[in-house]
PDB file of all heavy atoms in Angstrom:
ATOM      1  N   SER A 111      -0.090   2.328  20.013  1.00  0.00           N
ATOM      2  CA  SER A 111      -0.241   1.237  20.982  1.00  0.00           C
ATOM      3  C   SER A 111      -0.561  -0.072  20.274  1.00  0.00           C
ATOM      4  O   SER A 111      -0.050  -1.133  20.633  1.00  0.00           O
ATOM      5  CB  SER A 111      -1.337   1.571  21.996  1.00  0.00           C
ATOM      6  OG  SER A 111      -0.979   2.692  22.767  1.00  0.00           O
ATOM      7  N   LEU A 112      -1.405   0.012  19.245  1.00  0.00           N
ATOM      8  CA  LEU A 112      -1.753  -1.180  18.486  1.00  0.00           C
ATOM      9  C   LEU A 112      -0.526  -1.739  17.773  1.00  0.00           C
ATOM     10  O   LEU A 112      -0.297  -2.957  17.765  1.00  0.00           O
ATOM     11  CB  LEU A 112      -2.849  -0.847  17.482  1.00  0.00           C
ATOM     12  CG  LEU A 112      -3.303  -1.969  16.549  1.00  0.00           C
ATOM     13  CD1 LEU A 112      -3.824  -3.168  17.341  1.00  0.00           C
ATOM     14  CD2 LEU A 112      -4.370  -1.453  15.583  1.00  0.00           C
ATOM     15  N   ALA A 113       0.276  -0.862  17.182  1.00  0.00           N
ATOM     16  CA  ALA A 113       1.482  -1.310  16.480  1.00  0.00           C
ATOM     17  C   ALA A 113       2.445  -2.006  17.428  1.00  0.00           C
ATOM     18  O   ALA A 113       3.119  -2.976  17.053  1.00  0.00           O
ATOM     19  CB  ALA A 113       2.166  -0.117  15.818  1.00  0.00           C
ATOM     20  N   THR A 114       2.505  -1.544  18.661  1.00  0.00           N
ATOM     21  CA  THR A 114       3.411  -2.129  19.656  1.00  0.00           C
ATOM     22  C   THR A 114       2.916  -3.489  20.133  1.00  0.00           C
ATOM     23  O   THR A 114       3.707  -4.427  20.287  1.00  0.00           O
ATOM     24  CB  THR A 114       3.558  -1.173  20.850  1.00  0.00           C
ATOM     25  OG1 THR A 114       4.077   0.076  20.395  1.00  0.00           O
ATOM     26  CG2 THR A 114       4.486  -1.751  21.903  1.00  0.00           C
ATOM     27  N   ALA A 115       1.602  -3.600  20.347  1.00  0.00           N
ATOM     28  CA  ALA A 115       1.056  -4.808  20.969  1.00  0.00           C
ATOM     29  C   ALA A 115       0.630  -5.876  19.977  1.00  0.00           C
ATOM     30  O   ALA A 115       0.524  -7.054  20.338  1.00  0.00           O
ATOM     31  CB  ALA A 115      -0.143  -4.431  21.843  1.00  0.00           C
ATOM     32  N   SER A 116       0.386  -5.517  18.743  1.00  0.00           N
ATOM     33  CA  SER A 116      -0.178  -6.455  17.774  1.00  0.00           C
ATOM     34  C   SER A 116       0.774  -7.609  17.465  1.00  0.00           C
ATOM     35  O   SER A 116       2.001  -7.454  17.473  1.00  0.00           O
ATOM     36  CB  SER A 116      -0.512  -5.720  16.474  1.00  0.00           C
ATOM     37  OG  SER A 116      -0.980  -6.631  15.496  1.00  0.00           O
ATOM     38  N   GLN A 117       0.190  -8.751  17.169  1.00  0.00           N
ATOM     39  CA  GLN A 117       0.950  -9.924  16.721  1.00  0.00           C
ATOM     40  C   GLN A 117       0.948 -10.027  15.205  1.00  0.00           C
ATOM     41  O   GLN A 117       1.302 -11.063  14.649  1.00  0.00           O
ATOM     42  CB  GLN A 117       0.338 -11.196  17.328  1.00  0.00           C
ATOM     43  CG  GLN A 117       0.381 -11.235  18.855  1.00  0.00           C
ATOM     44  CD  GLN A 117       1.810 -11.156  19.377  1.00  0.00           C
ATOM     45  OE1 GLN A 117       2.670 -11.929  18.972  1.00  0.00           O
ATOM     46  NE2 GLN A 117       2.050 -10.214  20.295  1.00  0.00           N
ATOM     47  N   ALA A 118       0.569  -8.968  14.537  1.00  0.00           N
ATOM     48  CA  ALA A 118       0.535  -8.954  13.074  1.00  0.00           C
ATOM     49  C   ALA A 118       1.958  -9.004  12.512  1.00  0.00           C
ATOM     50  O   ALA A 118       2.944  -8.911  13.244  1.00  0.00           O
ATOM     51  CB  ALA A 118      -0.192  -7.705  12.580  1.00  0.00           C
ATOM     52  N   THR A 119       2.048  -9.131  11.211  1.00  0.00           N
ATOM     53  CA  THR A 119       3.343  -9.208  10.561  1.00  0.00           C
ATOM     54  C   THR A 119       4.116  -7.899  10.728  1.00  0.00           C
ATOM     55  O   THR A 119       3.540  -6.845  11.032  1.00  0.00           O
ATOM     56  CB  THR A 119       3.192  -9.490   9.065  1.00  0.00           C
ATOM     57  OG1 THR A 119       2.549  -8.363   8.447  1.00  0.00           O
ATOM     58  CG2 THR A 119       2.368 -10.755   8.821  1.00  0.00           C
ATOM     59  N   ALA A 120       5.417  -7.983  10.495  1.00  0.00           N
ATOM     60  CA  ALA A 120       6.251  -6.792  10.600  1.00  0.00           C
ATOM     61  C   ALA A 120       5.787  -5.709   9.623  1.00  0.00           C
ATOM     62  O   ALA A 120       5.784  -4.515   9.953  1.00  0.00           O
ATOM     63  CB  ALA A 120       7.713  -7.149  10.338  1.00  0.00           C
ATOM     64  N   ALA A 121       5.372  -6.105   8.413  1.00  0.00           N
ATOM     65  CA  ALA A 121       4.929  -5.126   7.419  1.00  0.00           C
ATOM     66  C   ALA A 121       3.683  -4.388   7.896  1.00  0.00           C
ATOM     67  O   ALA A 121       3.570  -3.163   7.725  1.00  0.00           O
ATOM     68  CB  ALA A 121       4.648  -5.818   6.088  1.00  0.00           C
ATOM     69  N   ILE A 122       2.742  -5.099   8.490  1.00  0.00           N
ATOM     70  CA  ILE A 122       1.527  -4.458   8.977  1.00  0.00           C
ATOM     71  C   ILE A 122       1.840  -3.543  10.154  1.00  0.00           C
ATOM     72  O   ILE A 122       1.344  -2.414  10.234  1.00  0.00           O
ATOM     73  CB  ILE A 122       0.475  -5.515   9.356  1.00  0.00           C
ATOM     74  CG1 ILE A 122      -0.050  -6.200   8.099  1.00  0.00           C
ATOM     75  CG2 ILE A 122      -0.670  -4.882  10.144  1.00  0.00           C
ATOM     76  CD1 ILE A 122      -1.006  -7.336   8.353  1.00  0.00           C
ATOM     77  N   ARG A 123       2.690  -4.009  11.069  1.00  0.00           N
ATOM     78  CA  ARG A 123       3.039  -3.171  12.219  1.00  0.00           C
ATOM     79  C   ARG A 123       3.788  -1.916  11.777  1.00  0.00           C
ATOM     80  O   ARG A 123       3.580  -0.830  12.322  1.00  0.00           O
ATOM     81  CB  ARG A 123       3.862  -3.978  13.219  1.00  0.00           C
ATOM     82  CG  ARG A 123       3.057  -5.099  13.895  1.00  0.00           C
ATOM     83  CD  ARG A 123       3.943  -5.919  14.837  1.00  0.00           C
ATOM     84  NE  ARG A 123       4.500  -5.085  15.888  1.00  0.00           N
ATOM     85  CZ  ARG A 123       5.744  -5.178  16.346  1.00  0.00           C
ATOM     86  NH1 ARG A 123       6.591  -6.061  15.805  1.00  0.00           N
ATOM     87  NH2 ARG A 123       6.161  -4.397  17.319  1.00  0.00           N
ATOM     88  N   ALA A 124       4.621  -2.038  10.765  1.00  0.00           N
ATOM     89  CA  ALA A 124       5.299  -0.855  10.230  1.00  0.00           C
ATOM     90  C   ALA A 124       4.284   0.132   9.661  1.00  0.00           C
ATOM     91  O   ALA A 124       4.403   1.354   9.834  1.00  0.00           O
ATOM     92  CB  ALA A 124       6.311  -1.263   9.164  1.00  0.00           C
ATOM     93  N   THR A 125       3.259  -0.395   8.972  1.00  0.00           N
ATOM     94  CA  THR A 125       2.199   0.457   8.442  1.00  0.00           C
ATOM     95  C   THR A 125       1.478   1.195   9.570  1.00  0.00           C
ATOM     96  O   THR A 125       1.176   2.388   9.458  1.00  0.00           O
ATOM     97  CB  THR A 125       1.198  -0.374   7.633  1.00  0.00           C
ATOM     98  OG1 THR A 125       1.856  -0.920   6.497  1.00  0.00           O
ATOM     99  CG2 THR A 125       0.009   0.457   7.183  1.00  0.00           C
ATOM    100  N   LEU A 126       1.207   0.499  10.657  1.00  0.00           N
ATOM    101  CA  LEU A 126       0.522   1.132  11.783  1.00  0.00           C
ATOM    102  C   LEU A 126       1.360   2.243  12.393  1.00  0.00           C
ATOM    103  O   LEU A 126       0.851   3.330  12.708  1.00  0.00           O
ATOM    104  CB  LEU A 126       0.171   0.084  12.841  1.00  0.00           C
ATOM    105  CG  LEU A 126      -0.860  -0.969  12.429  1.00  0.00           C
ATOM    106  CD1 LEU A 126      -0.943  -2.067  13.482  1.00  0.00           C
ATOM    107  CD2 LEU A 126      -2.235  -0.321  12.226  1.00  0.00           C
ATOM    108  N   PHE A 127       2.660   1.993  12.573  1.00  0.00           N
ATOM    109  CA  PHE A 127       3.527   3.054  13.084  1.00  0.00           C
ATOM    110  C   PHE A 127       3.546   4.238  12.124  1.00  0.00           C
ATOM    111  O   PHE A 127       3.563   5.402  12.542  1.00  0.00           O
ATOM    112  CB  PHE A 127       4.952   2.530  13.291  1.00  0.00           C
ATOM    113  CG  PHE A 127       5.173   1.815  14.604  1.00  0.00           C
ATOM    114  CD1 PHE A 127       5.588   0.501  14.644  1.00  0.00           C
ATOM    115  CD2 PHE A 127       4.996   2.497  15.807  1.00  0.00           C
ATOM    116  CE1 PHE A 127       5.804  -0.148  15.843  1.00  0.00           C
ATOM    117  CE2 PHE A 127       5.209   1.853  17.024  1.00  0.00           C
ATOM    118  CZ  PHE A 127       5.616   0.526  17.049  1.00  0.00           C
ATOM    119  N   SER A 128       3.539   3.947  10.821  1.00  0.00           N
ATOM    120  CA  SER A 128       3.526   5.015   9.829  1.00  0.00           C
ATOM    121  C   SER A 128       2.235   5.824   9.896  1.00  0.00           C
ATOM    122  O   SER A 128       2.249   7.058   9.821  1.00  0.00           O
ATOM    123  CB  SER A 128       3.698   4.414   8.427  1.00  0.00           C
ATOM    124  OG  SER A 128       3.589   5.403   7.438  1.00  0.00           O
ATOM    125  N   GLN A 129       1.111   5.149  10.033  1.00  0.00           N
ATOM    126  CA  GLN A 129      -0.158   5.855  10.141  1.00  0.00           C
ATOM    127  C   GLN A 129      -0.208   6.697  11.414  1.00  0.00           C
ATOM    128  O   GLN A 129      -0.720   7.818  11.406  1.00  0.00           O
ATOM    129  CB  GLN A 129      -1.310   4.858  10.100  1.00  0.00           C
ATOM    130  CG  GLN A 129      -1.464   4.199   8.732  1.00  0.00           C
ATOM    131  CD  GLN A 129      -2.569   3.159   8.708  1.00  0.00           C
ATOM    132  OE1 GLN A 129      -2.994   2.664   9.749  1.00  0.00           O
ATOM    133  NE2 GLN A 129      -3.019   2.830   7.521  1.00  0.00           N
ATOM    134  N   ALA A 130       0.337   6.166  12.514  1.00  0.00           N
ATOM    135  CA  ALA A 130       0.407   6.964  13.738  1.00  0.00           C
ATOM    136  C   ALA A 130       1.264   8.199  13.516  1.00  0.00           C
ATOM    137  O   ALA A 130       0.931   9.301  13.978  1.00  0.00           O
ATOM    138  CB  ALA A 130       0.973   6.115  14.871  1.00  0.00           C
TER     139      ALA A 130
END
Side-chain angles (χ1 to χ4, degrees):
S111 296
L112 177 59
T114 301
S116 176
Q117 298 300 307
T119 66
I122 290 175
R123 292 177 60 220
T125 296
L126 294 171
F127 277 120
S128 176
Q129 292 177 341

